[in-house]
Amino acid sequence: MSENSELNIVIITGMSGAGKTVALQSFEDMGYFCVDNLPPSLLPTFSELIKKSKDINQVCLVIDLRSREFFDEFVHALQLLDNNPKIHSQLVYLDTSDAALVARYKESRRNHPLQKGGTILEGIQREREELSPVRALSHLTIDTTSITPKELRAALIREFHVSDASGFTIEVMSFGFKYGIPIDADIVMDVRFLPNPHYIDELRPLTGEDDPVYNYVMDQDDTEIFYQKFVDLLDFTLPLYEAEGKASLTIAIGCTGGQHRSVALTRRIGQHIMDTTNYTTHISHRDQNKRKGTERNQ
């Protein structure tokens, strides 16, 4: 972070079981530096340390307030942040009805942290009373009683995503079937039906990153037909994956050795996604430089 840039800190608190973990994961997917369960007394020191970083300017913290002592420390820490002109802080409070919280604790078979030998409802009511002053300080209150985790995530992204890029991340990768299918792939496409540059002497030592190989693969009539049909499928399905709530999607394109055909098509498909969407898109080639002995594999 540069010396003159502003540090943006979002602090999440609220009722236990109201969705703080989902919220923190949502901010992490948006590129925020996230910390769970930070003691309020450490907030000023933590913010000063983060300000010295050149790469971090968005931070999300979850702070649980389960005692009067924590509340006093929290209010003091918020005042210090508000008095710092280089820090912009926002407090998000997550709330849920008593009935919904009881049902969630029953379903998870966990005790409420403030139950203290009593009933779950007594723990919830005790926490709600202790947190009432904090709720009054919040910049944004979200009631999660009747919304799903997916809907909570969508609401936070709408409110806090500051980039022009979507929060949906796409990884387009090439690989070689001889080395195994990537275990984290969501969509796997086999392009071994295309003519193989490995059998052309001058192309064998090159990869799909080199123009002679790229042009050879793309000049095939079957390549163009396949490419048009595949990107048409992606154009239809990617927005549906995003709407379904996925944070990321990995598209894996495979040939025999992951050096020629899959690399060339991964380049083109990845570029298409970058040119036609606002998704954060990465292109990688898992196996293009692997060798067997001194000979590069196809």
Side-chain angles (χ1 to χ4, degrees):
M1 187 175 72
S2 65
E3 185 176 345
N4 295 322
S5 62
E6 185 179 73
L7 175 62
N8 181 35
I9 299 180
V10 177
I11 302 168
I12 301 172
T13 191
M15 296 295 294
S16 300
K20 294 194 288 293
T21 298
V22 172
L24 188 68
Q25 292 169 346
S26 301
F27 277 96
E28 189 171 29
D29 291 338
M30 286 187 277
Y32 282 66
F33 181 84
C34 296
V35 178
D36 193 7
N37 214 9
L38 183 77
S41 59
L42 296 181
L43 184 53
T45 302
F46 173 82
S47 62
E48 290 301 318
L49 290 174
I50 291 295
K51 282 168 56 182
K52 296 178 182 179
S53 170
K54 297 181 180 179
D55 302 319
I56 300 175
N57 57 17
Q58 295 186 110
V59 176
C60 179
L61 309 172
V62 168
I63 296 180
D64 286 331
L65 302 173
R66 295 171 181 166
S67 71
R68 182 68 199 182
E69 179 184 354
F70 264 34
F71 172 70
D72 293 338
E73 294 175 351
F74 185 61
V75 172
H76 178 64
L78 287 179
Q79 291 172 341
L80 292 177
L81 294 183
D82 288 341
N83 292 333
N84 191 323
K86 293 186 177 181
I87 296 178
H88 176 251
S89 62
Q90 293 173 280
L91 177 61
V92 178
Y93 187 94
L94 300 184
D95 203 356
T96 307
S97 70
D98 289 354
L101 287 173
V102 168
R104 292 175 190 179
Y105 274 99
K106 290 285 189 180
E107 183 178 356
S108 67
R109 300 181 183 275
R110 297 177 59 233
N111 290 327
H112 188 278
L114 295 187
Q115 195 168 332
K116 298 181 179 178
T119 66
I120 292 174
L121 181 58
E122 289 172 344
I124 291 170
Q125 292 173 339
R126 184 178 294 113
E127 183 180 36
R128 188 178 301 283
E129 181 180 353
E130 293 182 357
L131 285 177
S132 59
V134 179
R135 193 180 194 280
L137 295 174
S138 65
H139 301 92
L140 174 66
T141 299
I142 301 177
D143 189 331
T144 67
T145 301
S146 57
I147 66 174
T148 65
K150 173 183 171 182
E151 290 169 334
L152 173 58
R153 169 184 162 80
L156 291 170
I157 289 176
R158 285 195 304 268
E159 184 74 24
F160 291 99
H161 205 293
V162 297
S163 171
D164 291 335
S166 166
F168 188 37
T169 300
I170 305 291
E171 178 77 22
V172 188
M173 67 181 301
S174 65
F175 73 96
F177 276 95
K178 67 193 302 180
Y179 304 112
I181 297 174
I183 62 174
D184 56 346
D186 299 291
I187 298 174
V188 177
M189 182 56 62
D190 183 352
V191 297
R192 288 176 292 184
F193 60 87
L194 296 173
N196 193 347
H198 172 75
Y199 297 110
I200 300 175
D201 291 342
E202 61 269 27
L203 299 182
R204 185 177 301 123
L206 304 178
T207 78
E209 292 274 56
D210 299 306
D211 287 342
V213 171
Y214 181 86
N215 293 334
Y216 174 85
V217 174
M218 294 306 155
D219 285 345
Q220 308 300 318
D221 291 340
D222 288 341
T223 300
E224 188 61 27
I225 295 171
F226 163 76
Y227 170 78
Q228 294 297 337
K229 290 180 179 295
F230 188 59
V231 296
D232 184 53
L233 175 66
L234 294 177
D235 290 343
F236 172 72
T237 56
L238 292 183
L240 299 180
Y241 279 115
E242 181 185 24
E244 191 274 334
K246 286 185 71 68
S248 63
L249 186 82
T250 297
I251 303 167
I253 312 296
C255 62
T256 305
Q259 180 185 338
H260 295 126
R261 295 164 289 181
S262 62
V263 173
L265 278 159
T266 293
R267 281 178 57 188
R268 189 175 179 189
I269 292 165
Q271 191 61 53
H272 169 82
I273 295 172
M274 287 190 282
D275 291 343
T276 59
T277 74
N278 66 339
Y279 303 142
T280 300
T281 305
H282 306 286
I283 298 173
S284 62
H285 306 293
R286 192 191 71 176
D287 301 325
Q288 74 164 337
N289 294 317
K290 287 187 176 178
R291 297 172 181 268
K292 184 175 182 181
T294 58
E295 181 182 1
R296 181 178 277 172
N297 295 302
Q298 75 270 25

